[in-house]
C-alpha cells in the first residue's frame, strides 16, 4: 500500500510554452513511465507537491497517483528544481510492480549516539553519507536504514558492511570498496598510567632544577 497520494490530471499539451502556462496556473508538469507501459503525461498541484516534498520519506516511498483511469503506484525518480527558487519545475515518476524488485536511495538515520562511548568521552559523530542505495520489492521499501553508533569509540569508523538492513532489503555495496558511513572524531584521552608517569617526570625535573639553582647561589 502506498504511503502517500497525489492528485493528478491528464496533460495533453507538451513543450516549453505549455509548461510555462501550466506553472503560472499553479500546476507542475510530470511524466509517468515504467512497468512496460507507455509514458504518461500528467500535471499536479504545486502546493500539494511542495507540502509532500518537505517530508524526507516522500522521496523513498510509494506514492499513489489518483485521478487517472486507474490508480498507479509510483516512486519519485527526479525532481527538476528552479535554478534559484525553492520551486519544482518538473517531476518524473516511475511505476512499480509488486512482484518486481527495484533499486532506490533511502535515508540513513544515526541512532544511539547519546550513549556512544566516544560521545561520552567528548567525541563528535561525523556522518559521511546521508543515504544509501537498496534493492527490494515495493512492499519492503524501508523508511530509512539505521546506523547504530552506540558502541563507537573515538577514532572508530562504520562502513556499509557494518549496517544491518531490514528483512527483504539488500544494501547495494561494492565489496571491493567498503565505503565509510560515519566516524567518531575527537582526541583520544591518554591512559591514566601514562598521565601519572608524565606528571611524576615533570615534578622530578622541576625539583632537580631548583636544587641546581641553589648550588649555584652558594
Amino acid at each position: 500500500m502506498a504511503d502517500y497520494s497525489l492528485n493528478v490530471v491528464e496533460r495533453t499539451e507538451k513543450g516549453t510554452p505549455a509548461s510555462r502556462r501550466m506553472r503560472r496556473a499553479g500546476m507542475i508538469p510530470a511524466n509517468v513511465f515504467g512497468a512496460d507501459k507507455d509514458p504518461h503525461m500528467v500535471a499536479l498541484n504545486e502546493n500539494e507537491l511542495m507540502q509532500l516534498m518537505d517530508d524526507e520519506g516522500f522521496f523513498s516511498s510509494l506514492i499513489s497517483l489518483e485521478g487517472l483511469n486507474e490508480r498507479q503506484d509510483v516512486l519519485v525518480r527526479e525532481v527538476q528544481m528552479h535554478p534559484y527558487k525553492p520551486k519544482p519545475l518538473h517531476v518524473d515518476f516511475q511505476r512499480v510492480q509488486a512482484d518486481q524488485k527495484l533499486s532506490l536511495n533511502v535515508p540513513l538515520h544515526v541512532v544511539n549516539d547519546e550513549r556512544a562511548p566516544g560521545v561520552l568521552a567528548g567525541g563528535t559523530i561525523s556522518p559521511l553519507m546521508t543515504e544509501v542505495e537498496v534493492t527490494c520489492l515495493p512492499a519492503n521499501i524501508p523508511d530509512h536504514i539505521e546506523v547504530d553508533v552506540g558502541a563507537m569509540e573515538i577514532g572508530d569508523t562504520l562502513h556499509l558492511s557494518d549496517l544491518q538492513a531490514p528483512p527483504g532489503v539488500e544494501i547495494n555495496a561494492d565489496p571491493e570498496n567498503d565505503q565509510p558511513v560515519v566516524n567518531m572524531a575527537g582526541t583520544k584521552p591518554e591512559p591514566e598510567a601514562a598521565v601519572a608517569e608524565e606528571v611524576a617526570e615533570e615534578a622530578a625535573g622541576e625539583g632537580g632544577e631548583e636544587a641546581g639553582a641553589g648550588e649555584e647561589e652558594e
Side-chain angles (χ1 to χ4, degrees):
M1 185 175 182
D3 300 302
Y4 300 87
S5 64
L6 271 172
N7 294 306
V8 298
V9 295
E10 296 280 357
R11 176 166 66 95
T12 55
E13 293 184 301
K14 61 181 179 179
T16 301
S19 295
R20 287 175 178 169
R21 289 194 298 271
M22 199 173 300
R23 296 185 190 106
R24 284 196 293 267
M27 301 294 288
I28 302 298
N31 290 332
V32 184
F33 63 90
D36 299 323
K37 297 181 179 179
D38 293 334
H40 203 163
M41 297 194 307
V42 299
L44 52 149
N45 183 273
E46 178 182 344
N47 291 333
E48 184 181 0
L49 174 63
M50 292 187 68
Q51 287 180 2
L52 292 181
M53 287 175 59
D54 287 336
D55 189 340
E56 176 189 56
F58 175 70
F59 295 93
S60 57
S61 299
L62 288 182
I63 304 160
S64 174
L65 298 185
E66 310 287 349
L68 303 174
N69 293 333
E70 60 177 352
R71 165 182 158 168
Q72 299 189 41
D73 287 342
V74 300
L75 288 170
V76 176
R77 277 314 189 190
E78 184 179 1
V79 178
Q80 181 185 346
M81 299 296 294
H82 192 280
Y84 54 87
K85 296 180 181 178
K87 295 181 58 173
L89 298 179
H90 188 277
V91 186
D92 283 334
F93 295 106
Q94 180 184 355
R95 302 183 188 95
V96 299
Q97 293 178 279
D99 60 346
Q100 291 188 2
K101 289 186 176 182
L102 49 88
S103 295
L104 73 161
N105 291 335
V106 297
L108 292 172
H109 286 185
V110 172
V111 298
N112 295 325
D113 53 316
E114 72 284 349
R115 70 183 191 193
V119 170
L120 296 178
T124 303
I125 294 292
S126 298
L128 305 175
M129 297 177 65
T130 58
E131 60 183 17
V132 64
E133 186 182 67
V134 302
T135 296
C136 59
L137 291 172
N140 294 331
I141 296 176
D143 294 330
H144 62 272
I145 298 291
E146 290 189 350
V147 182
D148 190 344
V149 301
M152 290 186 71
E153 304 273 2
I154 289 176
D156 287 350
T157 300
L158 290 183
H159 295 79
L160 284 177
S161 61
D162 297 313
L163 303 185
Q164 296 295 318
V169 178
E170 177 185 353
I171 295 175
N172 298 343
D174 181 357
E176 298 182 358
N177 181 24
D178 195 9
Q179 292 181 275
V181 175
V182 61
N183 64 24
M184 180 75 72
T187 303
K188 291 185 178 180
E190 296 184 53
E192 292 183 7
V195 173
E197 183 179 348
E198 183 178 339
V199 171
E201 289 177 355
E202 289 179 356
E206 290 174 358
E209 290 176 1
E210 290 176 358
E215 291 173 0
E216 288 178 4
E217 289 176 0
E218 290 178 2

